C-alpha cells in the first residue's frame, strides 16, 4: 500500500481514538471504558500495516489526548497501558507457550497499573479518597480486581480482532 494511504488511515484511526478520549471527560464511567476502546482501535493498524505504524498512531493519540482531553486520569491509563497493550499483544502472542504469554501479559499489566497509580497519586495528585471505600484505603483490592478485569479485557481484544478480520475488514477494503 502507498505510504499516503497508511498515513490517511492512521489519521482516521487516530481521530476515532481521540474522540473516544475526549468523551472521557463528558460521560460518566468513561475514565476506564473509553481508553479501553481507543486502544482496541489500534489493533486495526497492527493488522493492516504493522506494529510500527500502530505505535505511531498510539504516539499521536497519546500526545493529542494529553493536550485536549479533560480527564487526565483516563489519559494516563491510555498512555501507560490501554494504548500500547493491544499493539504489544500481537508480539506477545507470537510466542509458542501459552503459559509464557499469560505470564508476560500479567507482568506488563501489573507494572503498568502500578505505574499509573503512582503517576496519578504523585504527579496528578489524585487524593487518597479516590482509593477509599467506606473509610478503608484499598489500592491492593483495586489491583486484584484489575487483574480479574484484565483477563476479560484481553479476551475482548481478541474477540474484537476476530470480529474485525472476519466481518468488518472486507467491507472496508473491498478488492
Amino acid at each position: 500500500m502507498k505510504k499516503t494511504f497508511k498515513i490517511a488511515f492512521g489519521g482516521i484511526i487516530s481521530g476515532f481514538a481521540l474522540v473516544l478520549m475526549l468523551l472521557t471527560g463528558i460521560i460518566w464511567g468513561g475514565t476506564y471504558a473509553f481508553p479501553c476502546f481507543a486502544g482496541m482501535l489500534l489493533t486495526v493498524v497492527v493488522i493492516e500495516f504493522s506494529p510500527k505504524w500502530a505505535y505511531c498512531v498510539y504516539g499521536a493519540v497519546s500526545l493529542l489526548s494529553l493536550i485536549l482531553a479533560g480527564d487526565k486520569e483516563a489519559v494516563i491509563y491510555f498512555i501507560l497501558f490501554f494504548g500500547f497493550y493491544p499493539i504489544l499483544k500481537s508480539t506477545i502472542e507470537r510466542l509458542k507457550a501459552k503459559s509464557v504469554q499469560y505470564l508476560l501479559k500479567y507482568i506488563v499489566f501489573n507494572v503498568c497499573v502500578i505505574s499509573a497509580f503512582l503517576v496519578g497519586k504523585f504527579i496528578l495528585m489524585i487524593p487518597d479518597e479516590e482509593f477509599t471505600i467506606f473509610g478503608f484505603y484499598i489500592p491492593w483490592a483495586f489491583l486484584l480486581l484489575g487483574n480479574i478485569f484484565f483477563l476479560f479485557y484481553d479476551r475482548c481484544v481478541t474477540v474484537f480482532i476476530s470480529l474485525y478480520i472476519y466481518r468488518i475488514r472486507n467491507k472496508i477494503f473491498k478488492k
Side-chain angles (χ1 to χ4, degrees), residues 101-168:
Q101 289 178 17
Y102 280 106
L103 179 65
L104 284 174
K105 288 177 182 181
Y106 272 98
I107 288 171
V108 167
F109 174 76
N110 283 289
V111 166
C112 292
V113 167
I114 291 169
S115 298
F117 170 76
L118 294 173
V119 167
K121 185 164 175 58
F122 296 111
I123 295 176
L124 295 179
M125 305 304 261
I126 296 173
D128 287 343
E129 292 81 37
E130 292 288 324
F131 305 105
T132 304
I133 295 179
F134 302 116
F136 295 103
Y137 185 65
I138 54 169
W140 294 110
F142 287 149
L143 183 62
L144 176 66
L145 289 172
N147 276 279
I148 294 167
F149 165 77
F150 172 69
L151 186 63
F152 174 73
Y153 176 70
D154 185 61
R155 181 70 184 136
C156 286
V157 173
T158 302
V159 169
F160 176 77
I161 290 168
S162 297
L163 177 72
Y164 174 75
I165 290 172
Y166 296 112
R167 300 228 176 162
I168 300 170

Side-chain angles (χ1 to χ4, degrees), residues 16-138:
F16 285 142
L18 183 60
V19 166
L20 289 170
M21 292 305 295
L22 293 174
L23 289 174
T24 60
I26 299 170
I27 298 175
W28 181 86
T31 299
Y32 307 105
F34 291 128
C36 293
F37 299 140
M40 283 183 181
L41 289 175
L42 300 180
T43 61
V44 174
V45 181
V46 173
I47 293 165
E48 297 304 334
F49 307 123
S50 70
K52 178 183 168 186
W53 279 93
Y55 281 117
C56 291
V57 172
Y58 159 72
V61 175
S62 297
L63 182 62
L64 290 170
S65 295
L66 200 54
I67 296 167
L68 300 173
D71 189 344
K72 297 305 180 202
E73 186 179 2
V75 173
I76 294 301
Y77 293 139
F78 179 81
I79 292 171
L80 292 179
F81 182 70
F82 291 116
F84 76 86
Y85 175 73
I87 305 167
L88 184 63
K89 177 179 170 65
S90 68
T91 305
I92 292 174
E93 290 184 350
R94 289 185 190 136
L95 300 172
K96 295 209 184 273
K98 289 278 187 190
S99 58
V100 174
Q101 289 178 17
Y102 280 106
L103 179 65
L104 284 174
K105 288 177 182 181
Y106 272 98
I107 288 171
V108 167
F109 174 76
N110 283 289
V111 166
C112 292
V113 167
I114 291 169
S115 298
F117 170 76
L118 294 173
V119 167
K121 185 164 175 58
F122 296 111
I123 295 176
L124 295 179
M125 305 304 261
I126 296 173
D128 287 343
E129 292 81 37
E130 292 288 324
F131 305 105
T132 304
I133 295 179
F134 302 116
F136 295 103
Y137 185 65
I138 54 169

